Amino acid sequence: MKSLLNNKVFRFVILCLVCFILIISFLRVPTRLFVTRFNAYTNLPVGLLEKGVDWSDYTVEGGFGMIRYSRETETGYISYDVSNWPDAILGSNRVDYIICRDSSIVIYHFSVGDGRAEAEMILRKNLFRPSGNEHQFVRNGIVITLYSENNDDVISEIRISATSTNIFGIVY
């Protein structure tokens, strides 16, 4: 064992592994900090990246690599996808995807049924930037997508996700 610790290649590999773990952890700190702030600007029953939630009031829908919990209420529908975050293999089970069609849920002072243009302006004021899809906004690893039926200006669905990684390239 002593000769193994004296081996320069072994020490280099261990150092690289430690640096890799620290870099992965460090890169996710801004997302975790921002999620705390994001959750404070919503009235979601379960916040983004929460873990250890009591799902007894929800319907369980299966999936490989994730579980979806959904609930229909008088004011609409909401579902939560729970999977490993920040990485598909090395993470821990957290809420990393939310679908909201519930008009009682408020996110940054807008909700389902409000005007999409007004919601996009609110997201821009909160430093979200447009990305990819014309109605998709990103900030610190959080993606918010606004959907409207029949391309009108009224929000019919809001999807929120926390970007995750898949460093080993596992295909589910």
Side-chain angles (χ1 to χ4, degrees), residues 84-117:
N84 283 348
W85 186 92
D87 184 73
I89 298 298
L90 301 174
S92 63
N93 281 340
R94 295 176 185 265
V95 173
D96 63 353
Y97 193 79
I98 301 169
I99 299 173
C100 177
R101 290 184 224 124
D102 189 336
S103 60
S104 69
I105 302 297
V106 177
I107 299 161
Y108 283 107
H109 307 294
F110 67 87
S111 62
V112 169
D114 290 347
R116 189 172 59 200

Side-chain angles (χ1 to χ4, degrees), residues 84-153:
N84 283 348
W85 186 92
D87 184 73
I89 298 298
L90 301 174
S92 63
N93 281 340
R94 295 176 185 265
V95 173
D96 63 353
Y97 193 79
I98 301 169
I99 299 173
C100 177
R101 290 184 224 124
D102 189 336
S103 60
S104 69
I105 302 297
V106 177
I107 299 161
Y108 283 107
H109 307 294
F110 67 87
S111 62
V112 169
D114 290 347
R116 189 172 59 200
E118 180 184 340
E120 290 176 357
M121 185 179 69
I122 291 170
L123 289 172
R124 283 186 177 100
K125 283 183 180 179
N126 285 283
L127 304 179
F128 280 85
R129 66 184 193 288
S131 171
N133 177 334
E134 64 183 88
H135 305 294
Q136 187 175 71
F137 295 83
V138 178
R139 180 175 175 196
N140 287 36
I142 305 303
V143 180
I144 299 176
T145 308
L146 307 173
Y147 291 92
S148 296
E149 292 178 4
N150 304 324
N151 276 341
D152 60 5
D153 190 46

Side-chain angles (χ1 to χ4, degrees), residues 12-26:
F12 179 74
V13 168
I14 293 297
L15 179 65
C16 288
L17 183 62
V18 169
C19 288
F20 177 73
I21 291 170
L22 289 174
I23 288 170
I24 292 292
S25 298
F26 178 74

